[in-house]
Amino acid sequence: GENVEQHPSTLSVQEGDSAVIKCTYSDSASNYFPWYKQELGKRPQLIIDIRSNVGEKKDQRIAVTLNKTAKHFSLHITETQPEDSAVYFCAARRIGGGSNYKLTFGKGTLLTVNP
Amino acid sequence: DSGVTQTPKHLITATGQRVTLRCSPRSGDLSVYWYQQSLDQGLQFLIQYYNGEERAKGNILERFSAQQFPDLHSELNLSSLELGDSALYFCASSHSGTGASEQFFGPGTRLTVL
């Protein structure tokens, strides 16, 4: 089955700096890669996702890049703010035809943005 | 608020007992997913239902079972509970059954097994 590795497990940055979180996946058939943000005591919320037919996607201060050949994808947050502090999860899944629809999550990265 | 509701919010029970967690998906969503979140294992996918039928299975123990009813709400049954079953259980819903649409998570049920 799919295996998703996420690094680092914790990340501390100064407000205004950039933060990068990296994930690798094992199943070359995976073609959908969402990122979720989970604030303390709250539910995970989708912040951005990318499909395998594009290499990069951007939404304001957040961007995700995908390297299908190397089977890794990364989350980039620029101009970090204290409210970006949370646990971020990457995930991978096959969508469309096929029998395995399960979303496999990485272990999460605790991001702390220091004012 | 994602539109996904889960009850109860908290549940405290003893080892060996059985509990039922309930989830109501967003209006119009046909898929329901169950996840277990613990400190050491992260977010683990348990099972997915789509329009009443099981669609995908993850790391769900045999002591656990789920179903989705005709009104699309879902229940997760946990039996012969062990201390290690203590976790946050999330339900999520999406419109699609193939994973092509975003999953919206409910607020979770925190289960404590004493």
Side-chain angles (χ1 to χ4, degrees):
Chain A
E2 175 66 278
N3 183 47
V4 177
E5 299 280 341
Q6 183 171 348
H7 299 280
S9 55
T10 61
L11 180 59
S12 183
V13 300
Q14 287 300 121
E15 184 177 357
D17 287 350
S18 294
V20 180
I21 303 170
K22 299 182 179 183
C23 289
T24 59
Y25 60 99
S26 61
D27 185 355
S28 55
S30 288
N31 51 13
Y32 175 65
F33 308 94
W35 285 88
Y36 284 83
K37 175 183 179 182
Q38 186 177 24
E39 296 175 6
L40 187 62
K42 299 202 174 168
R43 72 194 78 194
Q45 289 188 284
L46 181 74
I47 54 170
I48 195 167
D49 57 14
I50 191 168
R51 302 196 182 187
S52 58
N53 56 346
V54 297
E56 185 172 357
K57 184 175 178 181
K58 195 171 180 180
D59 183 4
Q60 298 182 341
R61 297 185 297 108
I62 294 173
V64 58
T65 58
L66 171 65
N67 183 327
K68 277 203 70 180
T69 305
K71 289 191 283 188
H72 69 69
F73 56 113
S74 301
L75 177 72
H76 304 254
I77 306 175
T78 57
E79 299 169 29
T80 53
Q81 300 165 4
E83 49 266 39
D84 294 329
S85 297
V87 178
Y88 290 81
F89 292 95
C90 63
R93 178 176 187 161
R94 217 187 282 184
I95 62 171
S99 60
N100 186 355
Y101 298 112
K102 78 174 208 178
L103 194 59
T104 302
F105 284 86
K107 293 270 194 224
T109 296
L110 173 61
L111 173 65
T112 304
V113 180
N114 302 300
Chain B
D1 185 0
S2 66
V4 179
T5 60
Q6 287 186 251
T7 56
K9 211 169 181 179
H10 301 278
L11 200 47
I12 301 174
T13 188
T15 54
Q17 295 298 304
R18 174 191 166 95
V19 297
T20 297
L21 312 184
R22 184 188 167 102
C23 168
S24 291
R26 290 187 326 151
S27 177
D29 283 357
L30 301 175
S31 269
V32 169
Y33 310 78
W34 285 98
Y35 294 91
Q36 180 192 57
Q37 185 174 38
S38 57
L39 281 173
D40 56 341
Q41 292 294 321
L43 261 170
Q44 296 280 318
F45 168 73
L46 296 178
I47 197 163
Q48 177 199 358
Y49 279 83
Y50 176 75
N51 206 19
E53 293 189 3
E54 184 182 304
R55 177 58 70 95
K57 215 165 187 175
N59 305 320
I60 188 166
L61 300 172
E62 283 192 17
R63 301 183 284 109
F64 296 1
S65 65
Q67 54 184 327
Q68 186 179 29
F69 295 86
D71 67 352
L72 300 177
H73 92 271
S74 177
E75 291 181 357
L76 179 67
N77 300 296
L78 315 176
S79 61
S80 302
L81 284 167
E82 301 175 0
L83 295 176
D85 297 328
S86 295
L88 197 48
Y89 290 84
F90 284 106
C91 159
S93 76
S94 72
H95 184 70
S96 161
T98 63
S101 56
E102 177 180 350
Q103 291 186 26
F104 293 86
F105 281 76
T109 293
R110 182 169 294 282
L111 173 67
T112 303
V113 182
L114 301 175

